[in-house]
Amino acid sequence: MKKNILLILLVSLVSILPAVAQEKKLFSETAAQKAGRMAWWTNDRFGMFIHWGIYSMAARHEWVKHNEHMTNEQYQKYFDFFNPVDFDPTTWARQAKAAGMKYAVLTTKHHDGFCLFDSKYTDYKATNTPAHRDLVREYVNAFRAQGMKVGFYYSLLDWHHPDYTMDDVHPLVQTDTSQANYDRLNKGRDMRKYRQYLRDQITELLTNYGKIDVLWLDWTWGKDDRRGKHAEDWGAVELIKLVRKLQPGIIINNRLGLDDYEDGGDFVTPEQVSPAELAKYKGKTWETCQTFSGSWGYYRDEDTWKTHRQLLDLLITSASNGGNLILNVGPTARGEFDYRAKNALDSLSYWMHANSKAIYGCTYAPAEYKTPDGTKLTYDPKTRRLYVHVYNYPADGKLTLPGYAGKVRYIQLLNDNSEVKSAAAGDDLSLTLPVKKPPFDIPVIELILN
Ligand code: GLC
């Protein structure tokens, strides 16, 4: 008898343990308060990532310093000659806005340590290059003036700072990963000083530029990666507290390594995953970050650019699983979006102009609405409208909505609000679409529900 009670006690203890671990919290914000703070972000769904820095000059990936094991001296030429004569952030902001993007996140510092902003704590910044200005300030002003929300990406890694210690991706660590080599390279480096540098620069960024809407910190190694950096290396708990103190309304991603805390980040960041994989994030708060081609920074000779349809699919699939898409542009060293990026953005503008109602404020459809063959669904819970994104347009214009009979009041094409006729066939609803496909890669049908 006693034994049984003990066993029951033990079992119930073990079963509540994970719940207790999950509840570790840093802040006292309630779930409702968090939802309020993030309301604009979950509504807007679509942002622009901008990876820009002196690596744009090499034009062969933002990790070029690592990939080619460059020393600071070898990398210096990009600093000395960085002169973005065509940089006009108002044009960037207009292009982003036209494509339907509602917020932007710019790399204020990437892994190479170069700062686009005027920091008191380093000379390694845009003001000391031929650009001679605080490029972050111009970005903030221009995007804000276009009514866009403004975000900062900031790299936790720093391959230039003299106190930043070695790890498995540091450019100076070449094939010799022995402890002796680490010790040799680490001589005189002091992570305590680097931690202070992080705090100082984050303070500058969150104090000198007005209200900042998003902070995108990047990144922290997995727990078991022995030769990586972890939350303690950044002083992550202190850092996130500092951020929230300086900008109480800000939205922070999840790359500080604070996964043990329920509120160690506001959203998860599936990077470059396929649309099919996005389904597994349903129910979480998430943003998938994606490139137009294989690189974040401008890559002249890289040619795996996503097609218009692939980009649309990412956008639609994100909304249809209740998440955001942040799509990256890597401007050239002259400071412009190149022709490939412009074409991609233009094609999105064309689609979004007609179909953005099926993205903004949308999420996954209630379970009672089955996804018709060859389509994906999004749903606006405020207006209770359902959107059918027609991926495989039927040659005869006939589309069946399974089990929809009696549930729909009115149906129209979203791009021109033209009526779509329907007839019940048992439980199903049979639609008659125009035989000539509307001029959109993926046309959208709007269903006004009963
Ligand atoms: C990765 C890369 C980095 C890029 C980022 C964007 O963490 O290190 O180059 O900035 O992904 O998500």
Side-chain angles (χ1 to χ4, degrees):
M1 185 61 187
K2 246 193 185 163
K3 231 182 175 178
N4 274 348
I5 292 176
L6 257 178
L7 199 70
I8 290 168
L9 266 176
L10 199 72
V11 168
S12 42
L13 193 70
V14 168
S15 66
I16 64 164
L17 268 181
V20 172
Q22 280 271 303
E23 269 163 28
K24 238 166 95 175
K25 280 188 80 171
L26 292 159
F27 306 100
S28 59
E29 187 182 51
T30 64
Q33 285 167 333
K34 178 180 173 185
R37 178 166 56 81
M38 296 194 66
W40 71 265
W41 189 90
T42 36
N43 179 76
D44 289 355
R45 290 285 179 240
F46 191 24
M48 174 181 274
F49 223 159
I50 306 171
H51 274 67
W52 195 46
I54 55 178
Y55 47 75
S56 312
M57 294 187 68
R60 50 184 192 275
H61 206 281
E62 76 283 358
W63 276 56
V64 61
K65 192 177 186 189
H66 157 95
N67 293 345
E68 299 179 16
H69 298 292
M70 289 188 204
T71 61
N72 285 346
E73 292 66 38
Q74 288 165 329
Y75 201 73
Q76 184 62 22
K77 59 192 172 198
Y78 305 129
F79 181 91
D80 292 341
F81 300 117
F82 182 59
N83 192 12
V85 286
D86 295 322
F87 174 61
D88 172 17
T90 301
T91 304
W92 290 7
R94 289 210 178 106
Q95 286 170 303
K97 191 175 169 177
M101 294 154 163
K102 296 279 198 176
Y103 62 100
V105 176
L106 169 72
T107 50
T108 57
K109 176 188 99 167
H110 205 262
H111 306 339
D112 64 1
F114 175 72
C115 299
L116 285 176
F117 64 107
D118 188 10
S119 169
K120 265 202 310 220
Y121 303 97
T122 184
D123 293 330
Y124 203 51
K125 55 184 176 182
T127 42
N128 291 335
T129 68
H132 287 307
R133 12 210 253 280
D134 183 332
L135 301 166
V136 168
R137 185 167 304 286
E138 294 184 20
Y139 150 80
V140 169
N141 293 342
F143 276 71
R144 232 187 244 137
Q146 293 299 316
M148 310 238 343
K149 295 276 196 298
V150 168
F152 288 161
Y153 167 109
Y154 181 83
S155 172
L156 298 165
L157 284 67
D158 195 315
W159 298 330
H160 180 267
H161 198 283
D163 285 306
Y164 186 87
T165 54
M166 294 302 119
D167 51 53
D168 63 356
V169 299
H170 198 291
L172 293 181
V173 175
Q174 303 211 6
T175 44
D176 183 359
T177 57
S178 69
Q179 193 55 45
N181 193 38
Y182 272 68
D183 292 345
R184 181 182 67 81
L185 292 167
N186 275 335
K187 213 164 256 154
R189 291 174 184 262
D190 182 352
M191 271 302 273
R192 276 173 308 181
K193 290 193 192 148
Y194 181 69
R195 271 197 290 283
Q196 187 56 45
Y197 181 72
L198 286 183
R199 285 193 287 268
D200 289 337
Q201 287 209 320
I202 292 285
T203 302
E204 290 184 310
L205 285 169
L206 300 185
T207 311
N208 298 343
Y209 300 88
K211 185 174 188 302
I212 301 305
D213 301 292
V214 175
L215 182 62
W216 224 99
L217 297 169
D218 199 31
W219 45 277
T220 305
W221 280 250
K223 279 220 167 88
D224 301 327
D225 294 334
R226 207 166 49 85
R227 284 203 160 138
K229 293 196 169 60
H230 303 100
E232 311 74 63
D233 294 297
W234 316 130
V237 169
E238 256 183 82
L239 206 58
I240 198 169
K241 287 187 172 162
L242 176 70
V243 171
R244 294 237 181 268
K245 192 178 88 192
L246 295 173
Q247 296 267 350
I250 207 165
I251 294 172
I252 313 176
N253 72 340
N254 71 331
R255 294 199 179 175
L256 253 178
L258 294 173
D259 298 343
D260 288 346
Y261 297 91
E262 194 186 306
D263 50 2
D266 290 321
F267 61 94
V268 294
T269 51
E271 176 173 332
Q272 299 281 61
V273 301
S274 71
E277 277 174 83
L278 293 175
K280 69 171 184 249
Y281 296 96
K282 213 166 157 175
K284 295 194 170 145
T285 308
W286 60 271
E287 172 191 78
T288 182
C289 46
Q290 301 273 344
T291 54
F292 280 143
S293 72
S295 166
W296 300 87
Y298 178 66
Y299 202 137
R300 184 189 58 206
D301 303 333
E302 209 280 342
D303 239 352
T304 62
W305 284 63
K306 294 184 177 86
T307 62
H308 172 58
R309 193 177 171 87
Q310 284 174 312
L311 297 173
L312 275 189
D313 187 24
L314 279 169
L315 182 60
I316 296 164
T317 310
S318 296
S320 81
N321 286 295
N324 286 19
L325 168 66
I326 187 162
L327 205 50
N328 179 75
V329 181
T332 68
R334 288 180 57 141
E336 283 187 309
F337 297 171
D338 86 331
Y339 68 100
R340 294 166 294 189
K342 275 187 203 149
N343 287 344
L345 289 167
D346 283 349
S347 70
L348 289 169
S349 307
Y350 176 73
W351 190 88
M352 279 297 273
H353 170 76
N355 298 301
S356 65
K357 259 175 98 183
I359 301 293
Y360 301 141
C362 286
T363 184
Y364 43 86
E368 62 176 292
Y369 297 98
K370 282 209 206 97
T371 306
D373 284 345
T375 75
K376 290 191 183 178
L377 297 179
T378 59
Y379 172 71
D380 185 331
K382 283 207 198 86
T383 60
R384 293 198 57 256
R385 292 190 181 191
L386 189 69
Y387 298 98
V388 183
H389 301 253
V390 188
Y391 278 63
N392 300 334
Y393 198 83
D396 60 359
K398 296 285 179 224
L399 182 71
T400 302
L401 309 184
Y404 284 51
K407 294 183 173 165
V408 185
R409 223 171 110 202
Y410 187 72
I411 307 177
Q412 56 187 358
L413 283 178
L414 187 54
N415 62 279
D416 61 359
N417 281 8
S418 63
E419 181 176 12
V420 172
K421 288 197 173 166
S422 67
D427 290 343
D428 301 342
L429 209 53
S430 170
L431 306 191
T432 306
L433 299 170
V435 172
K436 190 165 157 43
K437 183 182 173 185
F440 296 90
D441 210 308
I442 302 177
V444 183
I445 307 166
E446 183 176 50
L447 270 58
I448 302 176
L449 303 175
N450 276 332

